[in-house]
Amino acid sequence: MTIETNSPQETRRIGVEAGKAAHPGQVFTLSGDLGTGKTVFTQGLAEGLGIEEPVSSPTFTIVQVYEGGRLPLYHFDVYRIGDIEEMEEVGFEYYLENGGVSLVEWANLIEELLPPKRTEITIEKDLQKGFDYRRITIEDVG
Ligand code: ADP
Ligand code: MG
């Protein structure tokens, strides 16, 4: 499925819908360049799960846990990961199997660790279509 948005609010809304429909154990992977809207989407997803705490992009933390929603959200941002072994140290696999909803920004950087069954989200810009234009592709694989 491909959706086009023209504002952060629209992208956030796509995230809200994904959060409302999310099921225990679901893994979302987000790929796309810096500033495409992965965190904006994540903020919507958290809202859709009923999480009221503000969601940010942690600079020096790989995982951020949000409880208090319909399901816990495990938000990974692996942009700054140096070595893939760091994921093991933070308990990546444990989180995936914990019955919550997991979401990985920059998932392409840890491709070999991703579960085969996941919801892949790709966000792309197209400057010819405007500064705020984003093409969002959502695909269930595995
Ligand atoms: P990422 O996590 O992918 O690095 P962010 O979500 O932190 O990106 O930032 C996306 C930036 O792009 C925000 O400043 C947001 O306001 C802006 N933006 C402009 N148009 C859109 C859009 N259509 N969808 C999402 N974000 C948008
Ligand atoms: Mg981000």
Side-chain angles (χ1 to χ4, degrees):
M1 175 172 57
T2 300
I3 304 162
E4 297 173 300
T5 70
N6 287 288
S7 70
Q9 292 78 11
E10 274 182 81
T11 296
R12 186 179 169 115
R13 182 122 304 272
I14 310 297
V16 171
E17 295 310 318
K20 283 183 182 166
H23 55 75
Q26 189 164 4
V27 178
F28 292 87
T29 62
L30 271 78
S31 302
D33 292 340
L34 197 64
T36 46
K38 299 180 295 299
T39 298
V40 167
F41 178 93
T42 306
Q43 288 165 341
L45 191 135
E47 183 187 332
L49 284 169
I51 293 161
E52 286 172 8
E53 213 180 317
V55 171
S56 60
S57 248
T59 315
F60 297 107
T61 336
I62 292 174
V63 61
Q64 202 78 34
V65 177
Y66 298 96
E67 277 156 350
R70 179 171 64 83
L71 296 166
L73 172 63
Y74 308 124
H75 176 201
F76 297 87
D77 188 327
V78 304
Y79 182 58
R80 281 167 207 279
I81 196 159
D83 193 296
I84 208 147
E85 280 173 22
E86 285 177 41
M87 295 308 288
E88 201 175 318
E89 286 161 23
V90 302
F92 183 59
E93 288 176 59
Y94 164 80
Y95 282 110
L96 295 192
E97 289 161 13
N98 211 24
V101 174
S102 301
L103 181 152
V104 188
E105 292 194 44
W106 296 99
N108 49 299
L109 298 179
I110 58 158
E111 188 76 47
E112 52 266 67
L113 296 184
L114 299 176
K117 192 171 167 61
R118 62 205 193 223
T119 303
E120 287 187 345
I121 298 173
T122 308
I123 312 182
E124 296 160 292
K125 291 188 187 182
D126 183 344
L127 288 175
Q128 292 191 329
K129 297 199 175 181
F131 190 65
D132 290 346
Y133 172 88
R134 303 288 189 274
R135 188 185 305 107
I136 303 172
T137 309
I138 303 177
E139 194 183 359
D140 285 313
V141 300

